[in-house]
Amino acid sequence: MDKKKLRQYRSLKREQKMLEEKMAKLNERAERIPAVIGKVKGSMDTFPYIETHMRIIMDEPKQADVIYRQMIINGKRQEQVDELLTEIEEFISQIPDSNARQIFELIYLNGKTQQEVGEQLGYTKGRISQIISENLKD
């Protein structure tokens, strides 16, 4: 795990929320797609194969296609974001030292500065930086 990936956590959380809102809007749009009536040709399954015409009612194809493609794209991105968030959270939860784990949570998950965390936990900013470096060497 590197600092760059850890620093993405809070922006990934914002992106996750944004994607959820997007998907909700797309679902609303999908429910409002106008229905169109059409005719299709077919034939009987058995001999004599008599041609038949049936009327069908379906969602307007172009609008439905655009919305469903956007839903697929956003769904894939949601999966990627969820995967990255889980990877970061797992990394932090597997840090054996409780103080180091707290430092990582406060800095990378809660967005506090090293100075603020040092004051809260009774360390210097330099020591906080050392603890972070020690746990990222693996």
Side-chain angles (χ1 to χ4, degrees):
M1 182 66 62
D2 59 3
K3 286 183 183 181
K4 186 177 179 182
K5 191 179 277 190
L6 285 167
R7 285 189 192 117
Q8 290 182 11
Y9 184 83
R10 291 180 343 125
S11 54
L12 286 168
K13 280 298 229 189
R14 286 191 301 272
E15 185 178 359
Q16 183 182 46
K17 185 178 180 188
M18 183 184 71
L19 287 167
E20 287 172 1
E21 291 169 359
K22 254 187 190 179
M23 289 298 273
K25 287 179 184 177
L26 286 169
N27 282 322
E28 287 175 17
R29 282 180 55 199
E31 291 173 6
R32 293 191 313 254
I33 296 174
V36 292
I37 298 173
K39 291 182 182 178
V40 292
K41 292 181 184 180
S43 65
M44 305 286 284
D45 290 340
T46 57
F47 186 81
Y49 302 108
I50 301 169
E51 189 175 280
T52 60
H53 298 271
M54 293 181 274
R55 286 180 45 156
I56 60 164
I57 299 174
M58 60 185 269
D59 291 338
E60 199 283 315
K62 287 182 183 175
Q63 286 184 24
D65 186 47
V66 168
I67 291 171
Y68 293 128
R69 282 195 344 234
Q70 288 175 342
M71 290 173 91
I72 289 169
I73 291 166
N74 287 319
K76 286 179 183 175
R77 183 60 193 150
Q78 269 184 320
E79 288 175 14
Q80 291 171 339
V81 167
D82 290 345
E83 207 172 287
L84 284 169
L85 287 169
T86 302
E87 185 180 339
I88 292 168
E89 290 168 355
E90 282 179 352
F91 170 76
I92 291 174
S93 71
Q94 292 174 359
I95 295 173
D97 181 56
S98 177
N99 284 331
R101 197 169 43 254
Q102 288 176 47
I103 290 168
F104 273 81
E105 285 182 13
L106 291 168
I107 291 174
Y108 295 107
L109 305 188
N110 298 343
K112 293 192 177 211
T113 65
Q114 289 184 6
Q115 185 68 39
E116 292 170 332
V117 173
E119 290 170 5
Q120 184 177 341
L121 299 178
Y123 291 114
T124 64
K125 182 178 181 272
R127 181 62 186 137
I128 295 292
S129 183
Q130 283 178 336
I131 292 170
I132 290 171
S133 295
E134 288 169 5
N135 285 280
L136 290 178
K137 284 181 181 174
D138 300 341

